[in-house]
Amino acid sequence: AAAAAAADGDDATGVVGVAWHPTRATCAASVGRRVFVLDGITGAVVLSTRLPIPSLAIAYSPASLGARLVVLLCDGSLHTVDTESARGALRSLHPPTVNVKKRGLAPSTRRGLIAFSGSAMVPWAVFAVGGDVNLYAASLKLPGVNITPGGKAPPPLLKIKGEHHKPLACLAGHPDSSLVVAGYADGAVKAYDLVTQTVRTTFKLPPAVGDKKGAAPPPLTSLAVLKSFES
């Protein structure tokens, strides 16, 4: 009730995203400029965190990568929410990637893309604002920086080289390695190695069945990387 009473007009924009904790019966919901952590059984609000600006996406990293709650804001900055603290402290992982002075904040109608890759020793969050051409990555191992009024964000941690310069449509992290797969609006799919910062493989979707040769491929909307099992 207290969390609902504290909501304002900026919060009444609908749910941007929902993410379930990988091992607990709790889920996180991003609504306008707030992140709520809810009891998955009773629906009670366990934690409410105020964001400086609206969010574009929210996701939990896999349990093997620390089960960190990560949120992407409309200025293209990436943060973690400390769900163990009383107020859910927000810590910066990557500074803004959107040129706010020229473009303004990314509209809340744009998709935020977040994927996870790496290992427990070297966990990565890979992210982008949907429709942009640049892919970014930040280490989840770093302690992060508390956001304070007037405080400076840390320098960029990593910008992957060799990315495809077309609008990004979707992302997927590899469950066993430092690979992340990116899908683009022109039908191209590329697998990036975060350690070497190189392109591991690339291919392009063929035209849809029944389309003429040379026709544009169908739009990419989602990707999934499946874990392989050795016999």
Side-chain angles (χ1 to χ4, degrees):
D8 57 28
D10 288 334
D11 300 321
T13 57
V15 176
V16 174
V18 175
W20 282 92
H21 192 284
T23 60
R24 301 176 184 174
T26 58
C27 69
S30 177
V31 183
R33 293 176 61 181
R34 286 191 179 275
V35 170
F36 297 98
V37 177
L38 309 171
D39 186 304
I41 298 175
T42 66
V45 176
V46 178
L47 180 71
S48 173
T49 297
R50 182 74 170 169
L51 303 174
I53 56 177
S55 63
L56 293 177
I58 189 171
Y60 272 108
S61 67
S64 60
L65 301 183
R68 301 278 293 277
L69 180 58
V70 176
V71 59
L72 177 62
L73 302 185
C74 283
D75 62 356
S77 60
L78 192 73
H79 308 268
T80 62
V81 179
D82 184 0
T83 57
E84 302 301 323
S85 65
R87 296 186 178 182
L90 203 64
R91 297 178 182 273
S92 178
L93 292 177
H94 200 290
T97 61
V98 173
N99 190 328
V100 177
K101 290 184 178 180
K102 289 185 178 181
R103 299 170 50 190
L105 294 176
S108 57
T109 53
R110 296 188 71 179
R111 292 179 59 201
L113 308 174
I114 304 175
F116 302 97
S117 192
S119 65
M121 295 300 296
V122 189
W124 292 96
V126 184
F127 66 100
V129 176
D132 281 1
V133 299
N134 292 322
L135 191 62
Y136 298 89
S139 172
L140 292 174
K141 199 68 174 178
L142 296 183
V145 177
N146 282 321
I147 293 181
T148 56
K152 293 183 178 180
L157 302 175
L158 175 68
K159 181 179 176 183
I160 299 177
K161 299 176 182 178
E163 68 265 29
H164 190 55
H165 293 289
K166 294 293 181 180
L168 282 149
C170 45
L171 288 175
H174 194 287
D176 297 318
S177 70
S178 59
L179 295 180
V180 64
V181 181
Y184 295 84
D186 65 348
V189 177
K190 285 197 172 187
Y192 298 106
D193 189 317
L194 301 183
V195 174
T196 63
Q197 300 181 44
T198 57
V199 178
R200 179 71 67 87
T201 187
T202 182
F203 63 91
K204 196 167 187 176
L205 295 179
V209 176
D211 285 355
K212 295 181 179 179
K213 186 177 181 180
L220 258 171
T221 57
S222 63
L223 284 170
V225 178
L226 302 180
K227 183 175 181 178
S228 61
F229 293 92
E230 296 181 0
S231 57

